[in-house]
Amino acid sequence: MNHTGTSLKENLLSYFDDILVEISDEHRLTISCKKDSVITILSSLNRNGYNHLALISCVDWIKDNELELVYIISAYTEDSEKGKMNILVKTKIAREKPELLTVMSIYENAEPYERELHELYGINFKGHPRLIPLLLEREYEIPPFRKDFDTRKYVQDVFDKIPFVEDKKGRK
Amino acid sequence: MDRNKLGKWLQSPGKMGQKYSLHALYFCTGCGIIEIPPTITARWDAERFGVIPVATPRQANLFLITGYVSVKTLRPIIRSYEQMPEPKFTVGFGSCPINGGMYWDSYNTIKHLDKYIPIDGWIAGCMPRPEAVFVAVTHLWTLIDKGMADGYKKYREDYHYYRENQEKILGKLEWPPLFSSKKM
């Protein structure tokens, strides 16, 4: 492991109590934290120069009844060791009525990612200025990326129910 | 010009004109668009067959839908199809518009495109080669000759059925019906 990663780990562990920092690869740091401390961790990382939010991803752990959010963060910098670093901030939230504070105040480009997660996983980001649909046109009862969404049944109920025009004409 | 076809030209010049000047509108929805640049440029040169790309739907009479159609893209597809002047021919390119292809159980992909707009021909394959476009074009010529490429007439006739299907999937459409609806 390089020096940047270890020093960052020590730095983070000295500031925050209930976090788990793991060096999972040469340039990869995984931080697991509670959902309340996401904002503080992200803002401290941002102040340390890790100023680029690459992606917000989400994993649905249906057996644990939890949704896991992953913030992937890197840096735009002259320092090559620092520039190679990938930091994954992971947090778990409840699956029923999931709510989280928006991180748009720290990383402004979180806006489309949070909108996407809102429509695909049904996560409500508090403080987001416009949580309107990004990609989807239709209303879904269960957000479609959740594990309990049955795509095959949905296709049978919606797309297969629409008749061919020739069939319709034949029947009338 | 082929002298053998002189009779045909004199008999129905309009039809021959439609056949040999297919102005194609490429609806670049999915991966199919990768095949289109070699098709229209020097390598395969679609202009040998009279197929030329145009910029807007109002100049086109051949509509190529290249690739999967998501629910959101169905709306512009219908709008562009309705803007095209008649006679217009539609060709679905690739297996995804035919029956969903690899997206057969996707939650947001249209499975059978011919439920929403009339399609004159399909090119099967994932992906079809550029040669397949020319096979489709030559086949379309025979269909036009025989008067069988009549998707636009069907659309006029059965417009209320198509509109009903479109509204089922897209909700309320924000534009008025293209044709006055007949009695249901």
Side-chain angles (χ1 to χ4, degrees):
Chain A
M1 187 63 201
N2 55 350
H3 178 69
T4 324
T6 35
S7 66
L8 183 69
K9 180 181 174 180
E10 282 162 17
N11 207 351
L12 281 166
L13 283 173
S14 65
Y15 279 125
F16 298 100
D17 293 331
D18 50 353
I19 63 168
L20 205 72
V21 184
E22 193 187 338
I23 295 165
S24 43
D25 206 344
E26 196 185 348
H27 292 109
R28 183 165 299 180
L29 204 74
T30 311
I31 305 165
S32 310
C33 62
K34 293 216 172 105
K35 80 175 208 182
D36 301 328
S37 47
V38 172
I39 293 274
T40 43
I41 287 173
L42 288 186
S43 59
S44 90
L45 283 173
N46 194 17
R47 255 183 281 112
N48 276 322
Y50 294 91
N51 49 4
H52 173 56
L53 176 72
L55 189 68
I56 306 176
S57 166
C58 185
V59 189
D60 186 1
W61 298 105
I62 189 163
K63 279 180 188 163
D64 305 342
N65 210 17
E66 276 173 333
L67 291 171
E68 186 177 36
L69 271 98
V70 186
Y71 296 81
I72 301 166
I73 289 154
S74 60
Y76 282 119
T77 173
E78 297 280 308
D79 184 356
S80 66
E81 278 304 312
K82 201 174 174 185
K84 283 178 192 165
M85 288 294 293
N86 266 318
I87 301 170
L88 280 70
V89 181
K90 294 186 177 179
T91 181
K92 288 194 171 178
I93 52 175
R95 223 162 153 274
E96 277 82 40
K97 291 193 179 172
E99 268 192 345
L100 209 66
L101 271 178
T102 176
V103 295
M104 269 183 70
S105 51
I106 306 162
Y107 299 103
E108 213 173 324
N109 65 333
E111 197 247 1
Y113 303 138
E114 288 183 348
R115 266 170 77 189
E116 195 183 1
L117 290 181
H118 172 69
E119 68 176 1
L120 295 178
Y121 289 93
I123 300 168
N124 187 21
F125 286 95
K126 281 186 282 183
H128 193 288
R130 42 178 204 145
L131 272 181
I132 52 172
L134 178 70
L135 301 166
L136 302 182
E137 278 267 304
R138 298 177 61 82
E139 293 285 319
Y140 298 87
E141 276 178 32
I142 304 169
F145 268 34
R146 289 203 178 194
K147 289 278 183 194
D148 52 354
F149 179 83
D150 192 348
T151 51
R152 211 158 292 178
K153 188 170 167 293
Y154 183 79
V155 168
Q156 280 166 3
D157 287 352
V158 176
F159 295 106
D160 293 355
K161 284 267 171 70
I162 291 174
F164 284 100
V165 173
E166 286 80 13
D167 294 352
K168 259 186 167 177
K169 262 174 89 180
R171 241 185 283 134
K172 295 219 171 175
Chain B
M1 195 172 74
D2 195 349
R3 267 165 193 261
N4 298 329
K5 287 183 180 162
L6 202 60
K8 267 189 186 173
W9 275 101
L10 293 172
Q11 210 177 7
S12 52
K15 205 177 257 182
M16 295 301 274
Q18 288 165 25
K19 260 173 76 174
Y20 293 124
S21 67
L22 289 170
H23 285 51
L25 176 69
Y26 301 106
F27 203 93
C28 324
T29 54
C31 37
I33 189 55
I34 289 297
E35 302 292 329
I36 296 305
T39 313
I40 59 177
T41 51
R43 180 66 178 87
W44 272 282
D45 198 10
E47 219 170 323
R48 292 177 295 158
F49 295 83
V51 179
I52 191 166
V54 290
T56 67
R58 286 176 199 276
Q59 302 164 320
N61 68 346
L62 172 66
F63 196 18
L64 261 178
I65 293 148
T66 56
Y68 67 86
V69 181
S70 72
V71 174
K72 206 165 191 170
T73 15
L74 183 65
R75 197 185 292 268
I77 283 180
I78 295 165
R79 294 201 79 152
S80 340
Y81 182 75
E82 291 186 351
Q83 279 181 44
M84 283 164 63
E86 290 180 1
K88 49 193 171 186
F89 314 106
T90 329
V91 176
F93 183 87
S95 58
C96 293
I98 302 176
N99 59 2
M102 62 189 281
Y103 302 101
W104 64 279
D105 65 347
S106 162
Y107 58 93
N108 200 32
T109 315
I110 296 297
K111 304 299 176 289
H112 300 269
L113 187 57
D114 52 345
K115 286 175 179 172
Y116 311 97
I117 58 168
I119 308 283
D120 292 307
W122 302 106
I123 308 172
C126 180
M127 290 304 305
R129 299 272 306 157
E131 290 94 329
V133 179
F134 304 131
V135 175
V137 165
T138 45
H139 194 69
L140 192 61
W141 288 350
T142 48
L143 288 185
I144 294 169
D145 257 348
K146 292 175 185 165
M148 282 162 71
D150 56 351
Y152 63 96
K153 286 178 194 159
K154 267 193 233 162
Y155 197 63
R156 200 178 262 274
E157 244 171 58
D158 309 332
Y159 180 69
H160 53 284
Y161 293 126
Y162 283 112
R163 176 100 180 172
E164 213 175 273
N165 278 357
Q166 291 161 9
E167 278 180 348
K168 257 183 208 166
I169 207 81
L170 291 173
K172 191 147 170 50
L173 301 177
E174 59 262 36
W175 60 91
L178 185 62
F179 307 113
S180 60
S181 63
K182 292 176 193 169
K183 58 182 188 297
M184 302 293 266

